[in-house]
Amino acid sequence: MKFTDNRPIYKQIIDHFCDQIINGKWSEEERIPSVRDIAVKMEVNPNTAIRAFHELQENGILYNQRGVGYFVAENALDKVLELKRKEFIDQELPCFFRTMKQLGFTCSELEELYKKQHE
Amino acid sequence: MKFTDNRPIYKQIIDHFCDQIINGKWSEEERIPSVRDIAVKMEVNPNTAIRAFHELQENGILYNQRGVGYFVAENALDKVLELKRKEFIDQELPCFFRTMKQLGFTCSELEELYKKQHE
Amino acid sequence: MKFTDNRPIYKQIIDHFCDQIINGKWSEEERIPSVRDIAVKMEVNPNTAIRAFHELQENGILYNQRGVGYFVAENALDKVLELKRKEFIDQELPCFFRTMKQLGFTCSELEELYKKQHE
Amino acid sequence: MKFTDNRPIYKQIIDHFCDQIINGKWSEEERIPSVRDIAVKMEVNPNTAIRAFHELQENGILYNQRGVGYFVAENALDKVLELKRKEFIDQELPCFFRTMKQLGFTCSELEELYKKQHE
DNA sequence: GTGGTCTAGACCACC
DNA sequence: GTGGTCTAGACCACA
C-alpha cells in the first residue's frame, strides 16, 4: 500500500478502514488482523497502525479485547457514516463553498465536472 | 491578525494576499508594504513573512526589486485565480466528489445546503 | 566543510549534493543522512540544510517520507544533469560567448587554455 | 533601461559603460553626462550610479574633476580590455571548464552552440 | 528518532 | 531604507 498524499499516514489508514467497512468487507463483531500483521502488510510502522486503531476505537467503530485483538463494533457502519457525514458537513462543505464562490464556479459547472470525472 | 487554524502561518499569509488581490485591494505594479512593516502589522516574525513572499514570487504573483521592495506582478490576478483553480480542481474536487458519493449525497441536496448556508 | 565563496551556503549545499549524485555517491532510493546529522557534519544550522533539501525536493532530486527522512529520487541523476545543463546553457553560455567575442578570443584559443589548465 | 538579471545594478551599469567604451561611443578625455542625468536616464538611484562610477574610477577607466564631472581616462579602452580579460581568464574560464567537463560537453559541441546562437 | 515551522536577533549587500 | 541569509534554540506532528 502506497501513501502518496500529504495527509498523515494514520489518517489515511483510518479512511482505508472506513472505506472497507462501508464497502462491507468487515462484518460486525468480526476480528480484524493484528496490528502487527496490518503494519507489515501496509509497510507501516506498528505505532502508526496503533494510532489509527485508537482513533477508530474512540469513535466507537472498533473495540479492543485485551490480549485478543481489535473487533468491528456493533453498528460500526452507522458510526462510520455518521462520523463522515459530520466531518463532511462541518468541515469540507463550508470551505468548499467558499472557494467555489471565490473562483466563480457554479453548482452546475461542478456537476458537469463531476460527471466527467465519473465516466 | 490572528492565525487560528492549524496550517502554517506562512501559508495563511499567502492566502491572505491572494484574497486581497482577488478582492482588488492591490493594483498591478503597486508596491506592497515592506517585509518588516507587514511582519509588525501581522504580529509575525519577518522571516515568516519573507517565506510567504518568496512563494508568491515563485508563482509569479509578486516580483522583487533589489533594495526597493515587493511589487504586485502584471497579471497577478490571473495568476492567483489560475493557481487557486488548479488547487481546487486537482485537490479539493476529487476528494469532495468521492466523499459525496460515498455518503450518498446528491448535487441537488448539496445545492440546498449551499443556499441555506448563504442566506 | 568550508563555505568560502560568496554564494549563499544553502546554494553551495545544493551544489555539493548534486555533485555527489553526479559522482555516484548516492544510489536511487537511498536514504541520505538526517538533516541534523548533515547540519552537524557541515557545521551549519539545521535550517540552512533544510532549505537546501527543500529546493532539491522541488526539483525532484530528493523526496521526503514523513518522519523518516530524505531519499534520493528515482532518476535523480537525470534530473540533476538536466537542471545543470539548463542552467549552463541558459545562463553561463550566452554570457560566456558574449565576453569571448567582445575580448576577441576564439574557440581554439580557449581550447588551448583549457588544455593548459588541465595538464 | 531595464535591469532584469539578478546581478547588482551598479555592476550592470559598469558593464554598460565598458561596453560603450569598447564600442567606441566615448573618446578619451571626453566628459560623460552627470551622475544626476545618468541616474534619471537609467531610472536608477543616484547613489547606485555613483557607486558604479567609483568603481570605474578605481580601475582607472574614468577620472573625476571636482565640480566638473567624470571624464574618460587616457587609455580607457586598454584598461577596460585588460580588466575584462583578467576577470574572464581568472574567474569565468575555470568555472566554465569545470562545469563543461562535469556535464560532458566538448569544446566542439560548444562551438556548434556558439555558431547557432550567433546566426 | 524524523522533518516542519516559528521566533529572535544578527549581519550582509544593495538602493 | 530595502530584502536575503544565517544562527540558535524552541515547539510541533509524525513514525
Side-chain angles (χ1 to χ4, degrees):
Chain A
M1 179 142 179
K2 277 286 177 187
F3 299 95
T4 50
D5 75 42
N6 285 326
R7 296 160 56 227
I9 292 180
Y10 81 96
K11 290 273 185 199
Q12 299 185 49
I13 295 177
I14 290 172
D15 281 353
H16 179 67
F17 271 92
C18 286
D19 287 359
Q20 290 192 329
I21 288 171
I22 291 175
N23 296 329
K25 166 148 184 181
W26 308 102
S27 331
E28 293 182 4
E29 311 295 346
E30 185 176 353
R31 183 177 171 277
I32 63 178
S34 76
V35 170
R36 187 167 310 203
D37 289 350
I38 282 178
V40 169
K41 194 178 158 208
M42 290 192 166
E43 293 173 330
V44 143
N45 187 302
N47 285 327
T48 307
I50 287 176
R51 191 162 178 176
F53 283 18
H54 278 174
E55 200 157 317
L56 287 166
Q57 193 174 14
E58 273 175 17
N59 283 297
I61 293 162
L62 298 183
Y63 67 90
N64 177 268
Q65 215 169 313
R66 289 183 69 103
V68 184
Y70 280 91
F71 294 80
V72 177
E74 218 181 344
N75 298 322
L77 179 55
D78 294 342
K79 296 259 178 61
V80 168
L81 290 177
E82 182 195 341
L83 183 68
K84 291 231 162 191
R85 274 216 178 78
K86 198 169 175 319
E87 277 179 14
F88 185 66
I89 292 186
D90 292 353
Q91 290 164 35
E92 276 190 71
L93 261 191
C95 165
F96 182 84
F97 281 143
R98 185 178 163 282
T99 312
M100 179 178 133
K101 200 179 169 188
Q102 195 177 50
L103 298 180
F105 286 114
T106 66
C107 280
S108 38
E109 279 174 335
L110 295 181
E111 212 167 344
E112 283 296 311
L113 280 168
Y114 172 61
K115 281 174 190 159
K116 256 188 204 158
Q117 290 191 7
H118 283 256
E119 269 165 9
Chain B
M1 178 140 182
K2 284 291 170 197
F3 300 96
T4 51
D5 76 43
N6 287 326
R7 297 159 55 228
I9 292 180
Y10 79 95
K11 290 276 183 197
Q12 298 184 49
I13 296 178
I14 291 173
D15 281 351
H16 178 68
F17 271 90
C18 286
D19 287 357
Q20 290 193 328
I21 288 172
I22 291 176
N23 295 328
K25 165 146 186 181
W26 307 104
S27 330
E28 293 183 2
E29 309 295 344
E30 185 175 354
R31 184 176 169 277
I32 64 178
S34 79
V35 169
R36 285 166 177 78
D37 289 350
I38 282 177
V40 169
K41 195 178 157 208
M42 292 195 166
E43 295 173 322
V44 142
N45 186 289
N47 283 327
T48 306
I50 283 182
R51 197 164 171 180
F53 285 14
H54 278 172
E55 200 157 319
L56 286 166
Q57 193 174 20
E58 272 176 18
N59 284 302
I61 293 163
L62 297 182
Y63 68 92
N64 177 270
Q65 212 168 312
R66 300 177 70 105
V68 182
Y70 278 93
F71 295 78
V72 177
E74 217 181 348
N75 298 322
L77 180 55
D78 294 343
K79 294 263 176 61
V80 170
L81 290 177
E82 182 194 341
L83 187 68
K84 292 232 165 189
R85 276 217 176 78
K86 201 172 175 316
E87 278 178 16
F88 184 68
I89 291 185
D90 291 352
Q91 289 165 35
E92 281 190 65
L93 260 192
C95 167
F96 182 83
F97 283 146
R98 188 177 161 282
T99 313
M100 178 177 134
K101 201 180 171 188
Q102 198 175 52
L103 298 180
F105 286 114
T106 67
C107 278
S108 35
E109 279 172 336
L110 295 179
E111 212 166 346
E112 284 298 310
L113 278 167
Y114 172 59
K115 281 172 190 160
K116 257 189 207 160
Q117 290 191 6
H118 282 257
E119 270 166 8
Chain C
M1 180 143 180
K2 284 293 171 198
F3 299 97
T4 50
D5 76 45
N6 287 327
R7 297 159 56 229
I9 293 181
Y10 79 96
K11 291 275 184 198
Q12 298 184 49
I13 296 177
I14 291 173
D15 281 352
H16 178 68
F17 271 90
C18 286
D19 286 356
Q20 289 193 328
I21 288 172
I22 290 175
N23 294 330
K25 165 146 184 180
W26 308 103
S27 330
E28 293 183 3
E29 312 293 345
E30 186 176 354
R31 183 176 170 276
I32 65 178
S34 79
V35 170
R36 285 164 175 81
D37 289 351
I38 283 176
V40 168
K41 195 179 158 207
M42 291 193 166
E43 295 173 322
V44 143
N45 186 288
N47 284 327
T48 306
I50 283 182
R51 196 164 173 179
F53 285 15
H54 278 171
E55 200 156 320
L56 287 166
Q57 193 175 17
E58 272 176 18
N59 285 303
I61 292 163
L62 296 183
Y63 68 92
N64 177 270
Q65 212 168 311
R66 300 176 70 104
V68 181
Y70 279 93
F71 294 78
V72 177
E74 218 181 347
N75 298 323
L77 180 55
D78 294 343
K79 294 262 176 60
V80 169
L81 290 177
E82 181 195 342
L83 186 68
K84 292 233 163 189
R85 276 217 176 80
K86 199 171 176 318
E87 278 178 16
F88 184 68
I89 291 185
D90 291 353
Q91 289 165 35
E92 280 192 65
L93 261 192
C95 166
F96 182 85
F97 281 145
R98 186 176 162 284
T99 312
M100 178 178 133
K101 200 179 171 187
Q102 198 175 52
L103 298 180
F105 285 114
T106 66
C107 278
S108 36
E109 279 173 336
L110 295 180
E111 210 166 347
E112 283 298 311
L113 278 168
Y114 172 59
K115 280 173 190 159
K116 256 189 207 161
Q117 290 191 6
H118 282 256
E119 268 165 11
Chain D
M1 179 140 179
K2 277 286 179 188
F3 299 95
T4 51
D5 76 41
N6 287 324
R7 296 159 57 227
I9 292 181
Y10 81 95
K11 290 274 184 197
Q12 297 184 49
I13 296 177
I14 291 173
D15 280 353
H16 179 68
F17 271 91
C18 286
D19 287 358
Q20 290 192 328
I21 289 171
I22 291 175
N23 296 329
K25 166 148 184 179
W26 308 102
S27 329
E28 294 181 4
E29 309 295 346
E30 184 176 356
R31 183 178 170 276
I32 63 178
S34 76
V35 170
R36 188 166 312 203
D37 290 351
I38 282 179
V40 168
K41 194 178 158 209
M42 291 194 167
E43 294 173 327
V44 143
N45 188 302
N47 285 328
T48 307
I50 287 176
R51 190 162 177 176
F53 283 18
H54 278 173
E55 199 158 318
L56 286 165
Q57 192 175 14
E58 274 174 16
N59 284 297
I61 293 162
L62 297 182
Y63 67 91
N64 176 268
Q65 214 168 315
R66 290 183 69 105
V68 184
Y70 280 91
F71 295 79
V72 178
E74 217 180 347
N75 298 322
L77 179 56
D78 295 343
K79 296 257 178 61
V80 168
L81 289 177
E82 182 194 343
L83 182 68
K84 291 231 164 191
R85 274 218 178 76
K86 199 170 175 317
E87 278 178 14
F88 185 68
I89 291 186
D90 291 351
Q91 289 163 36
E92 277 190 70
L93 261 190
C95 165
F96 183 83
F97 281 144
R98 186 178 162 282
T99 312
M100 177 177 134
K101 201 180 169 188
Q102 195 177 50
L103 298 180
F105 286 114
T106 66
C107 281
S108 37
E109 279 173 334
L110 295 180
E111 213 166 345
E112 284 296 311
L113 279 167
Y114 172 61
K115 281 173 191 158
K116 258 190 206 158
Q117 291 191 5
H118 283 256
E119 267 165 13

